[in-house]
Amino acid sequence: MTGGPLVVLVGPMGSGKSTVGALLAERLGAPYRDTDADIVTAQGRPISDIFVDEGEPYFRELERQAVAAAVSEHTGVLALGGGAVLDEGTRELLTGLPVAYLSMDVEEAVRRVGLGAARPLLAVNPRRQWRELMEARRPLYTEVARVVVATDDRTPEEVAQAVLDALELKDV
């Protein structure tokens, strides 16, 4: 196994993991990988379709496998899906890695993603469901994170710089 990812990004949907991850990869001169994109590519369909057609447990197993593969193979910047930390084995894999939790509040989530239909876990009463998801996930994000970076009212560039500073990484 290589040294593992340079940076692993975790956080809720809409926190900017994909955007910030791509910026970090560019600034670090490293490859970027997103486990949600890995799943979409491998399955040939959107995650929302996997949820509808196969159910959440099936998706979570795909996610667990995608994260395990990415952690063992990838040496650049890695973004995980919002629910990846729900799996205990995934949390164990992240132990000792440079994990940054991109945090945000519900108002910021509404502003960024509208908590709309493309988010299968937020189909009914999205604000309440987002809050409930975060109550369950926030302690898990915090558990795996080496650093927490608030994304509220920050540009992706500002968040990327905050991650670099917090993890004491130098861009190229």
Side-chain angles (χ1 to χ4, degrees):
M1 180 174 153
T2 62
L6 283 173
V7 178
V8 179
L9 299 175
V10 299
M13 60 190 85
S15 62
K17 296 179 302 286
S18 297
T19 302
V20 171
L23 286 170
L24 284 169
E26 181 180 320
R27 291 185 60 181
L28 292 167
Y32 170 70
R33 185 166 175 178
D34 181 319
T35 57
D36 278 353
D38 289 351
I39 293 167
V40 168
T41 299
Q43 293 290 304
R45 57 190 170 148
I47 289 171
S48 56
D49 288 358
I50 298 169
F51 262 81
V52 169
D53 297 342
E54 311 293 341
E56 185 177 0
Y58 179 82
F59 171 76
R60 294 296 173 206
E61 178 57 24
L62 295 175
E63 182 174 57
R64 186 192 63 72
Q65 293 171 15
V67 171
V71 167
S72 70
E73 300 165 1
H74 190 65
T75 58
V77 177
L78 178 61
L80 304 188
V85 297
L86 295 170
D87 182 75
E88 184 178 350
T90 293
R91 293 193 308 275
E92 289 173 11
L93 281 176
L94 298 176
T95 301
L97 294 178
V99 178
Y101 161 29
L102 303 185
S103 68
M104 62 193 263
D105 65 24
V106 69
E107 288 75 23
E108 187 77 1
V110 169
R111 187 179 71 72
R112 288 188 190 174
V113 297
L115 301 181
R119 309 292 185 169
L121 292 178
L122 302 175
V124 179
N125 195 346
R127 284 177 187 258
R128 188 187 81 225
Q129 288 182 306
W130 192 89
R131 283 188 179 102
E132 289 173 2
L133 281 174
M134 285 307 299
E135 285 174 19
R137 294 178 181 181
R138 188 176 292 111
L140 303 176
Y141 292 139
T142 303
E143 173 188 327
V144 300
R146 186 177 296 174
V147 299
V148 178
V149 175
T151 65
D152 302 309
D153 301 317
R154 286 176 140 169
T155 66
E157 292 78 11
E158 291 169 333
V159 174
Q161 186 60 54
V163 170
L164 290 171
D165 293 345
L167 290 173
E168 300 179 354
L169 295 170
K170 304 290 181 216
D171 50 358
V172 293

